[in-house]
DNA sequence: ATGAAAGCGCTAACAG
DNA sequence: CTGTTAGCGCTTTCAT
């Protein structure tokens, strides 16, 4: 493997000059630079990022911690982050956090701390103050996606408002028997997203004077199979079946629709369903959903990180709700007495 | 940031001894090791992987190149790789390759070469001999997933046989008018997967004496919207509509089913559909599909890489077909005259 | 079993 | 504008 010294020797300059010529830092005469660049090209020289990082303290690499890869919302966010990072010339090191606490500790206390990453983006994970402190102590920027984290900038929609909005949509259609298929309230993993969406749902129901008690909420994994299984069991009984469902995610919504159709329930004539993610596949299913843009949120997070890395650390340390709008489609929601 | 020298000073040993105690390489008396470990713990010492990599030449990091993140098959493979890597104490650096040739070159000639990764796993991407040579010249192990690559070990199913199998299934059900909704034959990205599946389809059709000409094949992006759009246009005309579809992926299959139902076509009474990936969501849709296990393939790839990294470089340099079986479900395929 | 010393490959002052 | 010098933090002979 050729080193900088080889380039220097061939170009007949010192290592320092070669370094300057290649990195673009510092003055180098045009002709010298050309010689150096040519020399580097002929021997196929590429910097050793290790050596370079060791002295500069910068790795041009950011760590991304995320609970799932193969879920619509998370996959979209990840793609958005990936594109933005590559465009900025940064590497992306991926850590999937399971609910296993020991593994989580290992990621934070070992993997993320070894001077391997310049910054961390946490997607859909509520960092503990301890974890924030760990990274913060190393002066590594952190930005979150998916919900407020104490003391660091976070991008997310206003989940309470979002859930309230879709619920109101259903109510405005004349529905009175509405259920929320949401995330497990115990799950530490995904922020307060679950509880906030439930809160928004209840808020809208209460405001309309509708029942919002325990039997209007059922917890499930926020996945297609999750929604499917739950819907199969809840919708089977025609006497207790609601006329509308506020799904905790688009995947849950689709799962619910598939199950309903399988039970012979007509969507939307007999059951209206709304989602919350605004995934690109939603239109295909005609799903009425909130239009948040996960990919764009990922890209914004990268922007934030880059800004902080460039010293603009006075960035927004507070949470800013990401704007959303309700995308109304005809095929999964309908007036109650259409 | 505390360094090894700090640990050494506190434990009252030399840096060399501290290093040995912490890494477990070389002789250290039990009591000395305890002192060192304790010292490291109190100041929260973590090795700088840069410094360590610089001298050892090993990064404990593997690069993964993959064309999509948010597709069932690829997401599953990626999850499998991630888990296996973390378990082995390795980091995973993710590169999504678009069809942009310039970007692809940049990834191979810049990102992957800077002594940042110990090995590369290429998923669903046919590496060129040049790319293989690039990494090979650096003595970095490469393993592929998804199809044969010249000169390196690759994991994949036998796509010709797989496509033939699902096609035969349809034929055995009495279908004679069968179409293949597969991947674009021009796409360089995804190996020969597309053409191989088409070949398998034609092989089975020909063997049964059925028409397998150009009008039995339609190309689409191997995604749900891809399958959906294509099905919408192809299935609309009842006079030319086939009775069965061999989908190029599970996503295409689902998209096709959704479109068919939307057109009022009953699946499987009027249209039978088979997929090829065996995704975990297939059962939910009752999809008849091949059972390949993408996650397991990812894990196997990691095993291969680790073996090569441990010097067992005499590993299988040839392609070994990954075993599959056909999972027959009742709801998306049926005898023609049921 | 432990320590001293020599780098790994590069960048960043500081002179000139 | 270019060269000299001094490390970045760690591992690894080679002595002891």
């Amino acid at each position: 493997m050729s080193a900088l010294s080889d380039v220097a020797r061939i170009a007949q300059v010192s290592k320092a000059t070669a370094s300057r010529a290649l990195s673009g830092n510092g003055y180098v005469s045009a002709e010298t630079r050309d010689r150096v660049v040519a020399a580097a090209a002929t021997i196929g020289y590429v910097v050793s990022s290790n050596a370079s990082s060791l002295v500069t303290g910068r790795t041009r690499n950011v760590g991304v911690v995320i609970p799932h890869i193969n879920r619509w919302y998370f996959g979209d966010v990840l793609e958005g982050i990936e594109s933005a990072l590559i465009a900025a010339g940064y590497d992306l090191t991926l850590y999937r956090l399971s609910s296993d606490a020991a593994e989580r500790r290992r990621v934070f206390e070992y993997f993320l701390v070894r001077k391997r990453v310049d910054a961390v983006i946490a997607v859909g994970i509520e960092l503990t103050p301890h974890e924030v402190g760990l990274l913060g102590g190393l002066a590594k920027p952190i930005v979150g996606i998916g919900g407020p984290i104490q003391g660091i900038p976070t991008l997310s929609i206003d989940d309470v408002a979002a859930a309230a909005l879709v619920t109101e949509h259903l109510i405005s259609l004349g529905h009175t028997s509405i259920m929320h298929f949401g995330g497990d309230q115990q799950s530490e993993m995904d922020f307060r997203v679950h509880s906030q969406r439930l809160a928004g749902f209840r808020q809208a129901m209460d405001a309309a004077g509708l029942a919002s008690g325990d039997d209007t909420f059922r917890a499930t994994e926020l996945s297609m199979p999750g929604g499917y299984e739950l819907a199969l069991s809840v919708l089977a009984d025609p006497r207790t079946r609601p006329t509308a469902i506020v799904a905790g995610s688009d995947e849950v919504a689709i799962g619910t629709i598939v199950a309903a159709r399988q039970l012979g329930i007509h969507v939307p004539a007999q059951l209206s369903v709304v989602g919350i993610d605004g995934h690109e596949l939603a239109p295909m299913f005609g799903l009425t959903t909130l239009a948040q843009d996960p990919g764009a949120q990922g890209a914004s997070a990268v922007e934030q990180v880059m800004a902080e890395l460039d010293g603009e650390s006075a960035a927004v340390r507070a949470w800013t709700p990401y704007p959303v709008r309700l995308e109304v489609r005809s095929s999964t929601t309908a007036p109650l007495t259409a």
Side-chain angles (χ1 to χ4, degrees), chain A residues 249-321:
Chain A
S249 76
D250 282 4
E251 287 188 72
V252 168
I254 305 289
T256 298
I257 292 166
V258 172
R261 291 197 176 136
Q262 202 156 300
L263 289 169
I265 298 168
H266 189 94
V267 178
Q270 297 171 65
L271 184 76
S272 289
V273 181
V274 292
I276 278 193
D277 299 323
H279 188 267
E280 55 160 343
L281 258 38
M284 197 186 112
F285 289 94
L287 181 66
T288 300
T289 180
L290 228 51
Q292 62 165 309
D293 186 337
Q297 289 182 47
S300 297
V302 171
E303 248 174 65
Q304 273 270 5
V305 165
M306 293 301 141
E308 295 209 31
L309 248 21
D310 293 348
E312 300 159 33
S313 63
V316 209
R317 298 211 83 74
W319 164 71
T320 353

Side-chain angles (χ1 to χ4, degrees), chain A residues 86-278:
Chain A
I86 272 284
Y90 274 67
D91 279 346
L92 147 24
T93 301
L94 181 67
Y95 300 97
R96 181 165 55 117
L97 248 44
S98 68
S99 46
D100 178 351
E103 194 186 309
R104 178 165 175 160
R105 274 195 42 196
R106 213 161 74 97
V107 167
F108 279 91
E109 299 183 357
Y110 177 65
F111 282 98
L112 289 177
V113 174
R114 303 174 293 177
K115 292 189 154 298
R116 271 247 170 132
V117 299
D118 288 341
V120 172
I121 297 179
V123 185
I125 291 176
E126 180 162 31
L127 268 28
T128 66
H130 172 241
E131 288 163 346
V132 172
L134 223 48
L135 278 344
L138 270 41
K140 294 196 190 310
I142 323 173
V143 2
I145 298 182
I149 297 178
Q150 192 66 256
I152 67 168
T154 318
L155 267 33
S156 82
I157 62 171
D158 179 336
D159 284 291
V160 177
L165 177 57
V166 294
T167 307
E168 280 163 29
H169 168 69
L170 260 12
I171 293 172
S172 77
L173 256 26
H175 292 277
T176 54
S177 170
I178 309 174
M179 280 185 75
H180 176 43
F181 287 178
D184 179 6
Q185 301 295 301
Q186 305 313 308
S187 162
E188 295 275 352
M189 211 70 203
D190 305 29
F191 280 113
R192 308 287 160 66
V193 176
H194 302 169
S195 52
Q196 300 207 124
R197 291 187 179 175
L198 177 55
F201 166 74
R202 292 210 159 122
Q203 178 183 301
M205 293 294 275
D206 292 345
L210 298 173
S212 72
D214 278 352
D215 48 353
T216 60
F217 169 72
R218 293 294 295 274
T220 173
E221 201 181 54
L222 293 188
S223 65
M224 272 177 69
Y228 176 77
E229 301 293 349
L230 178 58
L232 233 37
S233 79
V234 170
L235 303 178
D237 184 342
R239 286 178 311 188
T240 59
R241 181 199 304 156
T243 64
I245 305 284
V246 173
S249 76
D250 282 4
E251 287 188 72
V252 168
I254 305 289
T256 298
I257 292 166
V258 172
R261 291 197 176 136
Q262 202 156 300
L263 289 169
I265 298 168
H266 189 94
V267 178
Q270 297 171 65
L271 184 76
S272 289
V273 181
V274 292
I276 278 193
D277 299 323

